[in-house]
């Protein structure tokens, strides 16, 4: 919850200061937080409090660096190649997320849980080193005029006055559906698909393989897939396949539904960034991107809401209502906004 809430501040930094420097400094803060956490855990110094405190610093650094990292793709690739850049980012995320469960299980056969905490600062400092080389090699970021005089409140007004940006940011609320499904998937796998922990891990991997497939589709077709109406189509398809997953009792069909939902949410997510970064004026880009990152707080709320409603009204009804609400939101935006219907990657 911390990371998306501080993202607007990170967006302001991304507009005012060198993005590569913001990214490097926050990555070092993150790595140092992981190092302190590993020390506290392995020294048995208030483990619960240590995790909570260090997670706060990691969340703060992550929220501040996210807009700079996303918009550095524009600095490196240019707006004409940003669709492939965002698709490649989604592909890498899918690869990493599909490997992590298997890798973690393997490492736990070699190391204890406490020892594995040392891997966090090692990986973070290594990525910080790579960013350091990027800081040296990349040319200076363009100086943006009047950015220092433009506050977060000014950029909020800019977004809501912009008929193209406003509906895209509002539809970021769709992310709550992804959050709602997450606490319910392991329960459904156990109680309805009769899968154990290994089976659930495989289902999770299938979802991320779907992410990878969606990213490859984006890389192949590029900006042709970035329009307002298609953006809503991707989310409607994600909602449809999510609903189907929770209604199949056949493992194969459930796995296929999860794969397709992973593909469509990956395409949707990348195209939201494509449209936001293309439509935004350069001096507002960091803050506008950060507003979409702020919507990620709804994922955390979705976790809570999904678990609560799943216990009260049942899994199937919870998913049905959630999917219908998201679909109705998209239909309302399509019907009410001509600019959104005509929206496409410039």
């Amino acid at each position: 919850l911390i990371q998306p809430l501080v993202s607007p501040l990170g967006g302001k930094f991304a507009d005012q200061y060198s993005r590569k420097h913001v990214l490097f400094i926050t990555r070092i803060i993150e790595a140092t937080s992981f190092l302190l956490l590993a020390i506290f855990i392995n020294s048995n110094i208030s483990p619960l409090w240590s995790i909570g405190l260090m997670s706060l610093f990691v969340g703060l650094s992550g929220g501040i660096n996210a807009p700079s990292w996303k918009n550095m793709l524009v600095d490196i690739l240019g707006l004409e190649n940003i669709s492939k850049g965002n698709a490649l980012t989604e592909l890498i995320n899918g690869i990493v997320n599909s490997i992590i469960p298997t890798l973690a299980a393997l490492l736990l056969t070699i190391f204890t849980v406490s020892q594995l905490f040392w891997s966090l600062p090692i990986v973070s400092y290594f990525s910080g080193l790579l960013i350091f080389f990027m800081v040296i090699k990349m040319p200076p970021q363009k100086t943006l005029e009047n950015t220092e005089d433009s506050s977060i409140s000014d950029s909020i007004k800019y977004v809501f006055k912009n008929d193209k940006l406003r509906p895209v940011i509002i539809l970021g609320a769709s992310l709550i559906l992804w959050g709602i499904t997450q606490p319910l998937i392991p329960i459904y796998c156990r109680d309805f698909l009769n899968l154990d922990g290994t089976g659930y891990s495989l289902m999770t991997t299938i979802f991320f393989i779907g992410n990878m497939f969606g990213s490859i589709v984006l890389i192949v077709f590029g900006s042709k897939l970035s329009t307002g109406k298609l953006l809503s189509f991707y989310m409607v398809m994600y909602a449809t396949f999510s609903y189907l997953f929770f209604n199949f009792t056949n493992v194969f069909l459930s796995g296929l539904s999860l794969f397709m939902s992973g593909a469509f949410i990956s395409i949707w997510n990348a195209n939201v960034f494509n449209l936001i970064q293309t439509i935004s004026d350069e001096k507002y880009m960091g803050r506008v991107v950060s507003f979409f990152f702020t919507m990620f707080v709804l994922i955390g709320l979705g976790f809570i809401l999904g678990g609560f409603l799943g216990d009260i009204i049942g899994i199937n009804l919870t998913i049905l209502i959630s999917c219908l609400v998201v679909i109705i939101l998209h239909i309302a935006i399509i019907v009410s906004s001509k600019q959104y219907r005509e929206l496409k990657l410039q």
Side-chain angles (χ1 to χ4, degrees):
L1 295 177
I2 294 294
Q3 184 167 330
L5 291 177
V6 300
S7 187
L9 180 60
K12 184 174 177 64
F13 289 165
D15 286 336
Q16 280 189 302
Y17 307 113
S18 169
R19 292 164 188 156
K20 59 185 181 181
H21 291 139
V22 172
L23 185 59
F24 176 70
I25 292 170
T26 53
R27 185 53 55 89
I28 294 302
I29 292 173
E30 179 182 282
T32 303
S33 299
F34 281 137
L35 176 61
L36 292 174
L37 177 60
I39 292 172
F40 291 153
I41 293 296
N42 283 273
S43 301
N44 200 29
I45 301 175
S46 301
L48 186 59
W49 285 101
S50 299
I51 292 173
L53 181 61
M54 292 303 107
S55 295
L56 175 63
F57 283 105
V58 171
L60 288 171
S61 63
I64 291 174
N65 76 37
S68 289
W69 163 244
K70 207 64 181 177
N71 286 337
M72 272 184 62
L73 291 175
V74 178
D75 298 334
I76 296 170
L77 302 174
L79 282 175
E80 64 276 8
N81 295 311
I82 193 59
S83 61
K84 292 185 178 180
N86 283 323
L88 184 60
T89 300
E90 290 292 317
L91 176 60
I92 293 172
N93 288 337
I95 293 172
V96 171
N97 288 325
S98 64
I99 291 174
I100 283 178
T102 303
L103 180 61
L106 176 63
L107 290 175
L108 282 171
T109 64
I110 304 172
F111 305 103
T112 65
V113 173
S114 297
Q115 290 171 335
L116 281 181
F117 275 92
W118 292 110
S119 65
L120 299 176
I122 291 173
V123 172
S124 292
Y125 276 120
F126 178 73
S127 65
L129 182 62
L130 295 179
I131 294 170
F132 176 73
F133 286 119
M134 189 166 56
V135 168
I136 296 174
K137 294 294 183 180
M138 279 186 62
Q141 182 182 326
K142 293 180 182 178
T143 301
L144 306 181
E145 297 180 1
N146 301 323
T147 302
E148 61 275 5
D149 298 325
S150 185
S151 64
I152 294 175
S153 61
D154 290 329
S155 54
I156 292 174
K157 295 175 184 177
Y158 165 75
V159 168
F160 279 92
K161 288 180 180 179
N162 190 306
D163 292 333
K164 295 180 179 179
L165 280 173
R166 184 176 63 251
V168 176
I169 296 296
I170 290 173
L171 290 178
S174 306
L175 287 167
I176 195 170
L177 176 58
W178 189 86
I180 287 172
T181 63
Q182 294 313 293
L184 301 179
I185 289 176
I187 298 173
Y188 193 81
C189 286
R190 182 194 66 197
D191 295 346
F192 295 90
L193 299 179
N194 298 315
L195 297 175
D196 56 12
T198 302
Y200 166 67
S201 297
L202 288 174
M203 281 292 186
T204 302
T205 301
I206 288 171
F207 176 81
F208 289 120
I209 292 175
N211 285 167
M212 295 159 56
F213 176 77
S215 303
I216 293 171
V217 170
L218 269 177
I219 292 172
V220 173
F221 292 99
S223 60
K224 295 177 182 178
L225 300 181
S226 296
T227 71
K229 287 182 284 188
L230 281 178
L231 194 68
S232 289
F233 170 76
Y234 305 140
M235 181 51 66
V236 170
M237 287 296 98
Y238 169 70
T240 300
F241 281 109
S242 294
Y243 177 74
L244 289 175
F245 169 80
F246 287 101
N247 281 271
F248 285 131
T249 54
N250 180 280
V251 173
F252 175 78
L253 292 177
S254 289
L256 180 61
S257 298
L258 205 58
F259 172 87
M260 294 303 297
S261 69
F264 279 111
I265 194 65
S266 178
I267 296 173
W268 179 83
N269 191 59
N271 276 314
V272 170
F273 284 114
N274 292 341
L275 291 169
I276 288 174
Q277 290 172 306
T278 305
I279 297 168
S280 302
D281 290 342
E282 189 174 14
K283 69 175 182 177
Y284 289 109
M285 190 184 297
R287 282 160 289 174
V288 174
V289 167
S290 76
F291 295 149
F292 178 63
F293 275 120
T294 300
M295 289 293 185
F296 280 62
V297 74
L298 295 175
I299 295 177
L301 295 177
F303 269 79
I304 299 171
L305 188 61
F308 175 76
L309 291 179
D311 288 338
I312 300 298
I313 63 175
I315 292 177
N316 286 345
L317 189 55
T318 297
I319 294 300
L320 176 61
I321 293 173
S322 303
C323 290
L324 287 176
V325 168
V326 169
I327 290 172
I328 290 170
L329 174 63
H330 278 262
I331 292 174
I333 292 293
I334 290 175
V335 171
S336 63
S337 176
K338 178 182 178 182
Q339 289 79 8
Y340 178 74
R341 292 195 300 271
E342 297 175 349
L343 187 61
K344 62 181 179 179
L345 200 62
Q346 298 175 357

